[in-house]
Amino acid sequence: MQLARLAEVTRGECVESLHLGAVAVVDVHGALLYQAGDPEWMTFTRSTLKPFQAAPFVRDGGLEKFGFSLQQTALLCASHSGEPQQVTAVQAMLDRIGCDASALRCGCHAPFHQGATGQAAPIGDNCNQLYNNCSGKHAGFLAYCVQHGHPLDDYINPAHPLQQAVRASVAYFSGVDAGALVIGTDGCSAPNYAMPLARLAYAYARLAQGENDVVYGMTLARLYQAMTTYPEMVSGSGRFDLALMQSALGDWVAKGGAEGVQAIGIRSAGLGLAIKVADGNARALYPATVSALAQLGVLTQARASALAAWAQPQLTNLRGLVTGEIRATLQLEKM
């Protein structure tokens, strides 16, 4: 496995740490245009997979059946921060399908918005599965099961009809044979899949174009519209995906995942971009992603200004003194 230098961390005048990884950039036909490191690296997709996990529900008319709004559609694809408007919208989704939070199988964790914004987190009974960043996705899973009359208790089982439909969707949009997808269990307990990094980039190139597909119809177009219209539902205050999508004013669809994965679809350029940090540390992901966008020529002056805080973040100690910075070292290679 060949790895490229993505970012370096300085302390004073010295480079203290290095972050390695890989990048793949493809067009809407899946042709590899740029790379750094190994574009075929088998990478767990983590939360970048969410639009394609939602696709079977959207294709089968679930949005119409339950009357989900565009904001709630965005939540199907979200790693939300547990902010009030997000939690309220997920609860409304569960109400529409006749379920409550106890039916979710995503588990509990402290809401992301605490770390991203410094706000106080809910405590005690107020911090339940609704605050899990994946609760919107899981509400969609339950809705699919209600829609089709499938059992609810084991909807995260890889053999469940829902998860079989998800696997087929992932295979279809990534262009990877379903049997070649490597299965694992995600942090929210749902099945997750590893695939070559370039195939993840291809899936996002397709998501950004939102073509009228012969099998899935306008499913990707609807998910793209929801994600780019309401990026605050997909992500949250002070977070990278929100900054990316807001800066591009609807031209980029962006979704990060745990362990240093980022995928972006760029509609105007017809590109899909996927990045994986080898050590899983997201601090390297942000400057590397901004650098990749700049090298691809899609980072206008306005977009660069909006993303400046992510491009070369300063590091401070407990007294607020600047100790160093994280700066991109990524160099894309044209194929």
Side-chain angles (χ1 to χ4, degrees), residues 233-245:
M233 302 302 277
V234 178
S235 182
S237 302
R239 293 178 57 203
F240 190 47
D241 283 335
L242 178 60
L244 284 169
M245 288 191 278

Side-chain angles (χ1 to χ4, degrees), residues 204 207-208 223-224 227-228 245 250-255 263-266:
Y204 268 77
L207 175 61
L223 292 170
Y224 179 91
M227 294 176 72
T228 56
M245 288 191 278
D251 189 41
W252 304 344
V253 60
K255 189 73 197 68
I264 303 174
I266 305 169

Side-chain angles (χ1 to χ4, degrees), residues 169-189:
S169 167
V170 173
Y172 183 80
F173 288 115
S174 66
V176 178
D177 185 87
L181 292 169
V182 179
I183 191 169
T185 302
D186 211 341
C188 67
S189 297

Side-chain angles (χ1 to χ4, degrees), residues 14-335:
C14 182
V15 174
E16 184 174 35
S17 302
L18 296 174
H19 294 287
L20 308 179
V23 183
V25 181
V26 307
D27 65 16
V28 294
H29 306 292
L32 183 66
L33 303 181
Y34 299 89
Q35 71 176 62
D38 183 4
E40 297 301 311
W41 185 8
M42 287 295 289
T43 301
F44 268 104
T45 50
R46 304 303 297 268
S47 285
T48 65
L49 198 66
K50 286 176 177 174
F52 313 104
Q53 290 173 304
F57 173 68
V58 176
R59 175 199 59 195
D60 292 353
L63 300 178
E64 294 79 11
K65 179 177 177 62
F66 297 110
F68 285 176
S69 67
L70 204 60
Q71 294 97 319
Q72 290 167 329
T73 303
L75 278 166
L76 298 174
C77 309
S79 296
H80 68 74
S81 291
E83 296 177 63
Q85 74 274 16
Q86 298 165 336
V87 173
T88 298
V90 175
Q91 180 63 68
M93 295 164 73
L94 293 174
D95 291 343
R96 285 181 178 270
I97 66 174
C99 294
D100 59 36
S102 66
L104 298 170
R105 295 291 180 265
C106 52
C108 297
H109 64 68
F112 285 171
H113 76 81
Q114 182 183 24
T117 66
Q119 299 178 35
I123 58 174
D125 293 339
N126 292 324
C127 187
N128 56 38
Q129 291 188 101
L130 291 172
Y131 291 87
N132 186 299
N133 76 95
C134 298
S135 65
K137 177 182 80 172
H138 280 253
F141 283 168
L142 287 169
Y144 180 94
C145 295
V146 172
Q147 176 187 17
H148 292 283
H150 296 321
L152 305 182
D153 289 346
D154 65 340
Y155 72 82
I156 56 174
N157 187 324
H160 191 283
L162 159 69
Q163 298 302 338
Q164 289 298 300
V166 168
R167 186 180 186 116
S169 167
V170 173
Y172 183 80
F173 288 115
S174 66
V176 178
D177 185 87
L181 292 169
V182 179
I183 191 169
T185 302
D186 211 341
C188 67
S189 297
N192 193 255
Y193 298 100
M195 64 180 67
L197 192 63
R199 295 292 90 195
L200 175 60
Y202 174 54
Y204 268 77
R206 297 183 69 180
L207 175 61
Q209 293 308 302
E211 73 266 25
N212 189 356
D213 185 74
V214 294
V215 177
Y216 285 82
M218 297 301 291
T219 292
L220 291 190
R222 301 181 74 181
L223 292 170
Y224 179 91
Q225 180 190 16
M227 294 176 72
T228 56
T229 304
Y230 293 102
E232 68 274 12
M233 302 302 277
V234 178
S235 182
S237 302
R239 293 178 57 203
F240 190 47
D241 283 335
L242 178 60
L244 284 169
M245 288 191 278
Q246 285 183 330
S247 72
L249 301 176
D251 189 41
W252 304 344
V253 60
K255 189 73 197 68
E259 295 298 322
V261 183
Q262 181 72 53
I264 303 174
I266 305 169
R267 172 166 283 187
S268 61
L271 299 176
L273 163 70
I275 301 179
K276 166 65 178 176
V277 181
D279 62 10
N281 197 326
R283 71 177 184 175
L285 194 60
Y286 311 138
T289 300
V290 176
S291 176
L293 293 168
Q295 291 178 58
L296 292 173
V298 299
L299 196 64
T300 64
Q301 184 174 355
R303 293 171 180 176
S305 178
L307 296 173
W310 302 93
Q312 196 163 311
Q314 289 189 327
L315 299 175
T316 58
N317 65 13
L318 296 176
R319 293 188 58 223
L321 300 176
V322 175
T323 60
E325 62 186 11
I326 310 170
R327 57 196 184 202
T329 54
L330 168 67
Q331 293 294 322
L332 291 177
E333 176 187 355
K334 189 173 182 178
M335 303 308 295

